[in-house]
Amino acid sequence: GAYYYNNAAEAIFEEWGGKGVFVNWWEAPVRFVQIPWALKTVWQDRLRLLVERWTGTPLENTDLYGMRRYEDGARLLTHVDRESTHAASLIINVAQGNLDRPWTVEVHDHADRLHEVVMAPGDLVYYESAACLHARNTPLRGGSYVNLFAHYRPVGDPDWYQRENPPGTPERLLDVGRCRLVGEADAMSQGAVVCED
């Protein structure tokens, strides 16, 4: 967080021309704290060791993005990331300020089960961003939320997503049972959806 706090005043508005509409930048400003290339490389190399431990696969760096600062009203619509570069990813929550309620990251696993994760500053979330739908559909309520994103793929394999899973890979789940709403529909990360499994 020290880099962010020392450079937060230098945040610029992120340009979204041609990048799509998965972030509602036209309703809520999104700012960007730039990181020098040399520092980005050091950070991404170090973070890759954690992601390789999680995946059990040698990986290569493809992108380190952020620090992105979301502000009151921000949302991320459900999406997946680029297949050729975003096989294994992580989110680092760098900072939060004056939130009225937690702003959950929503990740659908391979069985299409929704996982709503509450993050605190310093927390990491590992996810397969090209394979698993992810979002923050509930608007951010309150101040600001800062994330850094790191992305990797198997070494020398930009077509990794076209290959069969290696032997021993667990089968994807197909039936998660019936799910039902309990509580308020906007009670994210508070057990609002309960499934049989």
Side-chain angles (χ1 to χ4, degrees):
Y3 182 88
Y4 170 73
Y5 290 110
N6 289 330
N7 294 279
E10 305 301 320
I12 60 173
F13 284 102
E14 187 172 1
E15 295 183 18
W16 283 90
K19 289 188 181 178
V21 295
F22 66 92
V23 175
N24 65 330
W25 52 268
W26 61 93
E27 296 175 327
V30 179
R31 290 183 169 73
F32 197 77
V33 176
Q34 296 185 355
I35 304 166
W37 282 107
L39 186 56
K40 285 176 77 168
T41 301
V42 170
W43 287 358
Q44 189 167 25
D45 287 345
R46 290 180 180 172
L47 293 168
R48 187 183 67 242
L49 300 175
L50 299 174
V51 181
E52 285 177 334
R53 192 174 319 140
W54 172 62
T55 63
T57 302
L59 300 171
E60 63 187 13
N61 301 352
T62 58
D63 200 5
L64 183 84
Y65 193 76
M67 301 177 178
R68 180 185 279 166
R69 184 172 73 207
Y70 304 95
E71 298 183 3
D72 186 48
R75 293 185 315 130
L76 282 77
L77 302 180
T78 305
H79 67 286
V80 293
D81 294 334
R82 289 181 298 241
E83 291 172 324
S84 63
T85 57
H86 291 50
S89 303
L90 66 81
I91 302 168
I92 301 173
N93 182 230
V94 176
Q96 301 177 17
N98 300 318
L99 299 182
D100 293 340
R101 66 178 180 192
W103 196 39
T104 60
V105 60
E106 305 157 14
V107 180
H108 292 261
D109 66 19
H110 293 290
D112 200 29
R113 292 175 295 200
L114 174 63
H115 301 270
E116 296 175 288
V117 182
V118 175
M119 298 180 73
D123 284 352
L124 306 178
V125 170
Y126 300 93
Y127 65 121
E128 297 175 61
S129 66
C132 296
L133 290 167
H134 55 282
R136 291 181 190 261
N137 284 303
T138 301
L140 174 65
R141 295 289 176 231
S144 63
Y145 199 96
V146 182
N147 281 340
L148 179 71
F149 305 89
H151 304 286
Y152 306 90
R153 70 176 173 212
V155 173
D157 193 4
D159 297 323
W160 65 270
Y161 58 93
Q162 296 179 0
R163 306 201 191 305
E164 293 293 323
N165 284 333
T169 300
E171 291 294 321
R172 291 185 176 181
L173 300 174
L174 298 176
D175 183 6
V176 298
R178 301 190 73 179
C179 299
R180 67 186 187 289
L181 178 67
V182 293
E184 298 298 320
D186 69 345
M188 296 301 196
S189 295
Q190 299 173 26
V193 177
V194 176
C195 297
E196 289 176 352
D197 69 340

